[in-house]
Structures are given as C-alpha cells and as structure tokens.
Amino acid sequence: MIINKIKIENFRNYTEEEILFTNKINYILGDNAQGKTNLLESIFFILNNESFKNIKEEELFNENNKLKQFNITLEIINDNKKYSIELNKNENKKNYKINGVKRDFKNKIIKTILFIPDDLQIVKEGPGKRRDFLDNEIKILFPNYKNLIKNYYKLLSQKNYLLKNRRDKNLIRTFNIQLAENGKEIIKYRLFFLKNITPIARNTYNTISEKNEILSINYKPSFNFNNYEEELELNLENELLRKQSLIGIHRDDIIFYINGKNIKSFASQGQQRSVVLSLKIAELEYLKKYYNYFPILLLDDVFSELDEKRKNMLIRILRENNIQSFITLANIELIKNQINENDKIIKINNGKIEENIIIGK
Amino acid sequence: MYDYPEPIEKLIEAFAKLPGIGPKTAQRLAFYVLKSKNDYPEELGKAVLEIKQKIKLCQICGNYTDQDHCSICRSNTRNKEVICVVEDPKDVLALEKTNEYRGLYHVLHGAISPIDGIGPEQLMVRELLKRLETGEIKEIILATNSTIEGDTTSLYLAKLVSPLNIKVTRIAQGIPVGGDIDYADEITLSKAFIGRREISF
C-alpha cells in the first residue's frame, strides 16, 4: 500500500498543491520555514486523525485564507487498485471520505512511523517525555491504545480536580476503579510492546554500536500494578493530603541500559541517537514481521543529526523492506552518499512545489 | 451601515442563540415567521411561552411533565419494581419507543463530571435513593450513556446502591444491530467481546 499522490488545500502555508510521490524514498528539500514539515504533517494528519505536534487543530488553517477550512486528499495504490481518502476540516467539523463516500475515521488505513528530532532527546529528558514517546509508538501499532490513554488522562484530570477541590471520597473511589481498569490495560500494552520491540532493537543497536554494546529496556512502574486498585486505596489519604494523584501509569518510567548500566546520566550523543534509531527500526521490522504490514516512514529533519554510518543503516533497511519514505532535508549534501536513482526529490519553496523529479530520469 | 428594523434583528438574535442555528439560518427563520400567514407567529410565541410555564419535573422520577407526576409514574400498568436510570428526558423517549421496557424511570439530568462542576449533588441522585429506600424496588437498570462520564455515573450509583440489596444491572455495550464487525472500532469491539453471550439451545 503506497501513497501515490497528495492534494493539499489551505493547510498551513499551502494554498493548493498536488504532489506525486514515488513508492521508494521521497526527499523533501527546502530552506527553513518553507513547508517541509507541513507536508509531513498533512500526511500524518490524514492518516492518524491528529497532528504529531501538540497544537489546536485551528492552527492548521491557512492564515491567508478567509474560510477557516482545509482539505487533504490522498490517492492510495493497493494491489494495483487506486482509491482516495479525503479529509475536510472546518471550524465545526471534520469529515472523512473514502472513494467519495462519507465514513467515520476509525481504523488506520496506513500506519505511519514518525521520526522527529525531539525523539532523539528522550534518553536524557524527564520520564514524561519517555512515556509520551512510548505511548506514541504503541498508538501506531494498536489504534485502541489511543483511546485508553485519552480516557485515562480524562479520568485523571477529573480525579485531580476532586483531590484539589471537593474531596468526596466515594466519588474519588469511583474514579480509582475506572483509572485502575484503564491503567491495567495500558500497562499490558506497554509491557507487550517493550517485550516484542526490545529484542529487535537490541540486534539493531548491536549492529550500529562501535563496540560490542548490549541494549536493554526496562519498564519501571511507580507502584505494584498487580494490585492496582488496592494500591490506589492505600494511597488515598496521602493523595488527599498532597492534593495530587501520586501513583498510576502516569508516573511510570522507561529505563535504557547499555551493558547493564542505566545510560540516562552517561550516554553520549551517538549512543542516544543509536538507541532511538534502533527503536524506530525495530518498529518497522516488527510491523513487517508480525503483521506482514508495510508502514510508511516520515522522517523530519533527522538526517542532519545522524552520521554516515547511521544514515546508511537506516536507508539500507528502508530499501531492503521496500518502505515508502518521506524524508525532509535542508541540504541535499546530507544524502549525497545515500541517494539512489529511483528516489525522488521534491523541492519546496514558500508552500509551493518548485521541482518534483525522479533522480535517474 | 444598514440594519434590519429592530423587531427583525431581535428575532434573528433570538434564533441565533439556539443550538445548531447560525446567523444565516436564524435570518431565514426570522423572515419565514415574518412572512407566515394567519396564526403561526402567535402559535409559535404561545408554544415558546408555555413550555417554560407549564413544563416541570415529575416529583417522582424527574422526567418532564405538565402535571405533578409524569404519565409513566401515574400509570397502573407499569412494573413498579424496576427503575431504569437515564441521563436525559430524551433517553426516556428513546427507550419507550422500543416497547420492550415496562418499568419505571429515573432521570438524572446529566452525568458526573467534577471538572464541569457536576457532582452527585447536582444530579437527581438523592431523589433516586429516596425511591429505593421504600423497599418496593427490586432492580435498577443503569442506562447512562456509554461515555466516560456515563460510566462514572453508573459506577458511582452501583456502589451507592450496593448496601441496599437491590439488583443492579448496566445496559449492554457493543456492536449495533445491523452493524458490520469490520466497521466497528476497537473499543466497541472489545466491549462487545467482554459482554459476549453463550448461545444455547
């Protein structure tokens, strides 16, 4: 399944553009603030029904357009058959159409693996960033997970409000039951993901790393989650005293080890990048191996952060697995050793396509 | 700048306050009323006034009625041992249309959401408990919406009622009748799985 064409209307700095893609690697070139990331965002948005940036959807309307609305249309090719997905968003509504017929957005048609510069920071950042990272990756594999997370945080904010303002214990207990129910499911997914992804990531990491380094990833819960409800009940008085939710999956962490040592404090830039790159590659391979599913890869400005060896490794895996990729770059020099005659170069200038060529032609 | 004469503007504004009505539709409605013949404007005005003057909440179940007790609570043919708890008077009508249920209702007028300032005290929960204390009720059916808030409300009520030795049930959640499984989202499907039933002959 590949994206053959996109049509973007009034999305961010795009007015109306139609872009043909290759099923191999699409390099999206342009200076800063010309619309490279916006193009990736539009692809991500229509396939995931949300942006990868933490924004209000109203920010996606083209500022110069009086009508507050945008359209994104994808032409998909699957088994030589073409079909279209169309998204129309205005101030009040979001509509999906598949082959012209109105449908709810429910199942992801194409899974997208996204790699952005922020991802490279997760090893050293706080636990919140690592949880978000983990949750975002799991959402890609399991659409159900997005709702679990959404529900969990909705319940949590209700409970926190009660802890601060109303202190009605019976009602707090009701929220605890629901939090435990959602939390237990979320932990199952997180553990399942790490159990399946870690061995693949370990292999990849071992290949990239200079020395013979072994990567392990551990889930570090903030409490004994086997007795989820009991633990919440035990902490109730303390939570009322402190006016905040002290335990739950929103307090857990993920720890990365190299050769048995927690790398949060000592990892070099290179090691951090290798860890994240290994995780992303592990996801690609996991999807392919266990679901026989080919995701697309969206890579935003990450190439400037990777050295030749890591770039080569990533590109080789994309080519071996025939993964359709969209890679933004500020400078073509960054890929001069990786480029192939089947790849495409799409130059963007101020929300307009300047050039769209297959290199070998 | 030209404006419509004040009475027209006033009606447009009033219509525009209604849910789902934008300025364009409000204008169309106002002109429709203006051009309409005979008694229609008077009928409309009277209906609007009366809805506030005559409609009150049933003293027993909280449903809308124009008397002290609603027609369901007054009826002699209903099963007075079962109460179906709903969020909204509109839900009563929806359930009545099925012709399946012959018990009583209790309308909460909302669902628990502390952030929005809605706790049990803002809903008709005290009134429900009072009805249950009489000992005549054998079962309550929780038919709040299948949302987080609806689930919270049902769970809260179930806990509250549990010491009273009354059977508490929650309506089933899952795939709609006539729905294709491959169109259902994962949450609906997993709820449908949890609520699966044995087929026996």
Side-chain angles (χ1 to χ4, degrees):
Chain A
M1 202 153 11
I2 62 143
I3 303 174
N4 191 44
K5 194 164 77 179
I6 190 169
K7 191 177 174 193
I8 317 173
E9 291 162 277
N10 298 315
F11 181 90
R12 296 264 195 198
N13 70 334
Y14 288 88
T15 310
E16 190 180 339
E17 288 295 320
E18 216 175 76
I19 311 165
L20 273 163
F21 297 122
T22 166
N23 59 358
K24 306 284 188 317
I25 299 178
N26 297 275
Y27 291 108
I28 300 159
L29 275 169
D31 291 338
N32 284 334
Q34 299 305 308
K36 300 189 299 283
T37 305
N38 296 349
L39 177 56
L40 289 196
E41 193 182 20
S42 69
I43 299 172
F44 188 92
F45 194 95
I46 188 168
L47 294 174
N48 296 278
N49 198 16
E50 64 178 3
S51 173
F52 54 76
K53 295 181 180 171
N54 192 6
I55 49 145
K56 291 204 174 81
E57 288 184 358
E58 286 68 40
E59 292 173 44
L60 299 172
F61 297 127
N62 186 328
E63 286 173 0
N64 301 321
N65 184 29
K66 276 189 192 141
L67 289 173
K68 298 263 169 270
Q69 63 161 44
F70 66 78
N71 290 299
I72 307 167
T73 312
L74 294 185
E75 187 180 275
I76 309 284
I77 297 182
N78 187 26
D79 290 337
N80 290 322
K81 266 185 284 181
K82 278 186 188 174
Y83 66 100
S84 72
I85 316 171
E86 197 183 331
L87 166 71
N88 169 269
K89 153 102 190 143
N90 62 34
E91 277 174 291
N92 312 313
K93 262 195 238 163
K94 235 185 328 189
N95 280 323
Y96 269 90
K97 279 183 187 169
I98 294 176
N99 284 338
V101 181
K102 215 166 139 179
R103 291 274 289 269
D104 286 348
F105 180 91
K106 277 181 179 165
N107 286 301
K108 288 185 186 178
I109 297 150
I110 300 180
K111 293 191 196 299
T112 47
I113 303 249
L114 175 78
F115 196 172
I116 54 175
D118 277 0
D119 293 338
L120 295 168
Q121 315 298 328
I122 56 152
V123 175
K124 294 236 167 173
E125 290 274 348
K129 281 270 187 322
R130 280 188 289 281
R131 278 194 304 269
D132 286 351
F133 175 82
L134 184 67
D135 288 343
N136 284 331
E137 305 308 318
I138 300 173
K139 274 184 207 169
I140 292 162
L141 301 181
F142 308 102
N144 195 10
Y145 190 73
K146 184 173 162 181
N147 292 303
L148 279 174
I149 290 285
K150 204 176 99 193
N151 289 350
Y152 183 88
Y153 279 99
K154 207 166 159 189
L155 291 163
L156 189 67
S157 59
Q158 296 276 24
K159 179 183 164 185
N160 284 337
Y161 183 89
L162 284 173
L163 288 172
K164 284 196 183 77
N165 300 294
R166 292 173 29 124
R167 322 177 68 75
D168 173 342
K169 274 192 202 171
N170 272 334
L171 197 48
I172 293 173
R173 285 192 178 103
T174 306
F175 281 108
N176 278 349
I177 295 174
Q178 284 175 291
L179 281 166
E181 205 178 294
N182 278 274
K184 277 187 230 165
E185 279 300 301
I186 289 169
I187 288 191
K188 259 194 237 162
Y189 276 101
R190 287 180 176 174
L191 295 178
F192 180 87
F193 176 84
L194 290 175
K195 193 178 138 216
N196 286 283
I197 292 295
T198 306
I200 314 176
R202 180 177 298 141
N203 271 339
T204 315
Y205 186 88
N206 196 263
T207 319
I208 316 173
S209 76
E210 305 288 326
K211 298 149 222 138
N212 201 7
E213 293 180 335
I214 308 290
L215 170 73
S216 357
I217 308 168
N218 273 3
Y219 191 73
K220 188 186 160 206
S222 56
F223 64 114
N224 176 7
F225 58 80
N226 292 317
N227 298 314
Y228 210 125
E229 271 171 57
E230 293 86 337
E231 288 275 323
L232 284 172
E233 181 60 34
L234 284 173
N235 276 278
L236 184 57
E237 291 301 329
N238 201 12
E239 288 187 327
L240 279 164
L241 200 74
R242 304 265 297 270
K243 298 185 177 185
Q244 53 175 316
S245 301
L246 297 172
I247 59 159
I249 56 102
H250 63 287
R251 291 267 176 146
D252 296 355
D253 198 358
I254 304 102
I255 315 265
F256 299 100
Y257 298 90
I258 290 174
N259 293 339
K261 269 169 83 182
N262 182 345
I263 60 168
K264 187 173 163 37
S265 44
F266 77 82
S268 69
Q269 283 257 323
Q271 282 173 318
Q272 292 180 53
R273 277 164 197 172
S274 299
V275 168
V276 179
L277 186 63
S278 307
L279 279 169
K280 296 283 178 183
I281 291 173
E283 275 175 66
L284 289 172
E285 296 194 349
Y286 176 80
L287 275 171
K288 215 199 135 193
K289 197 168 154 196
Y290 292 95
Y291 292 90
N292 198 19
Y293 193 99
F294 297 86
I296 63 160
L297 181 75
L298 302 173
L299 218 82
D300 189 26
D301 211 17
V302 173
F303 262 43
S304 54
E305 308 280 336
L306 300 178
D307 60 13
E308 286 303 309
K309 193 177 172 188
R310 294 189 179 92
K311 276 190 272 188
N312 286 336
M313 165 117 194
L314 179 61
I315 296 288
R316 182 173 55 79
I317 284 162
L318 297 181
R319 292 203 204 285
E320 275 171 7
N321 292 293
N322 268 322
I323 291 166
Q324 189 185 24
S325 312
F326 301 83
I327 300 176
T328 70
L329 299 162
N331 185 348
I332 197 159
E333 285 293 303
L334 288 166
I335 43 149
K336 61 177 193 301
N337 298 323
Q338 286 79 27
I339 210 154
N340 174 298
E341 59 174 15
N342 292 318
D343 297 340
K344 218 169 194 201
I345 292 205
I346 299 162
K347 274 192 190 151
I348 292 177
N349 186 8
N350 198 12
K352 293 233 172 308
I353 307 304
E354 263 192 358
E355 205 179 338
N356 184 355
I357 50 160
I358 289 179
I359 290 159
K361 282 187 183 164
Chain B
M1 212 182 103
Y2 174 76
D3 273 333
Y4 293 123
E6 206 197 318
I8 300 181
E9 279 293 332
K10 251 170 117 176
L11 190 58
I12 294 176
E13 268 174 40
F15 279 134
K17 280 183 189 158
L18 296 170
I21 306 283
K24 275 261 164 67
T25 311
Q27 187 176 314
R28 214 175 74 224
L29 293 174
F31 277 99
Y32 179 84
V33 175
L34 180 64
K35 282 188 204 161
S36 63
K37 284 184 192 132
N38 309 332
D39 315 331
Y40 180 69
E42 209 176 316
E43 256 172 58
L44 179 69
K46 226 175 117 194
V48 171
L49 280 175
E50 276 186 0
I51 198 169
K52 265 300 194 189
Q53 284 166 357
K54 292 198 177 164
I55 295 296
K56 48 192 170 184
L57 302 187
C58 169
Q59 288 174 3
I60 300 170
C61 74
N63 196 5
Y64 289 137
T65 175
D66 53 2
Q67 300 182 28
D68 286 344
H69 299 152
C70 73
S71 58
I72 294 174
C73 288
R74 283 201 313 271
S75 165
N76 290 323
T77 60
R78 313 277 311 196
N79 177 354
K80 307 230 168 196
E81 293 183 339
V82 192
I83 292 180
C84 177
V85 180
V86 296
E87 289 181 23
D88 198 274
K90 285 194 295 244
D91 304 334
V92 174
L93 191 72
L95 286 161
E96 279 301 288
K97 277 186 186 158
T98 65
N99 269 329
E100 285 291 331
Y101 178 66
R102 298 298 298 159
L104 304 173
Y105 288 95
H106 193 84
V107 184
L108 295 169
H109 289 275
I112 294 174
S113 177
I115 288 180
D116 301 311
I118 305 171
E121 310 83 50
Q122 279 69 41
L123 304 171
M124 307 271 282
V125 172
R126 214 175 313 120
E127 290 80 353
L128 175 66
L129 280 181
K130 234 162 80 193
R131 291 176 78 183
L132 299 180
E133 278 160 8
T134 61
E136 284 161 34
I137 308 298
K138 302 275 185 293
E139 177 180 359
I140 68 167
I141 302 166
L142 300 168
T144 53
N145 290 341
S146 186
T147 56
I148 295 250
E149 292 81 9
D151 283 343
T152 304
T153 310
S154 280
L155 213 56
Y156 178 82
L157 291 176
K159 275 194 92 171
L160 206 63
V161 172
S162 65
L164 297 178
N165 208 8
I166 293 170
K167 186 177 169 192
V168 181
T169 53
R170 174 93 168 105
I171 53 163
Q173 300 171 308
I175 298 159
V177 176
D180 282 339
I181 285 195
D182 62 343
Y183 284 177
D185 64 284
E186 287 79 1
I187 295 218
T188 309
L189 271 177
S190 56
K191 289 217 166 149
F193 250 91
I194 293 163
R196 68 187 182 274
R197 273 191 319 181
E198 198 178 316
I199 300 179
S200 51
F201 300 97

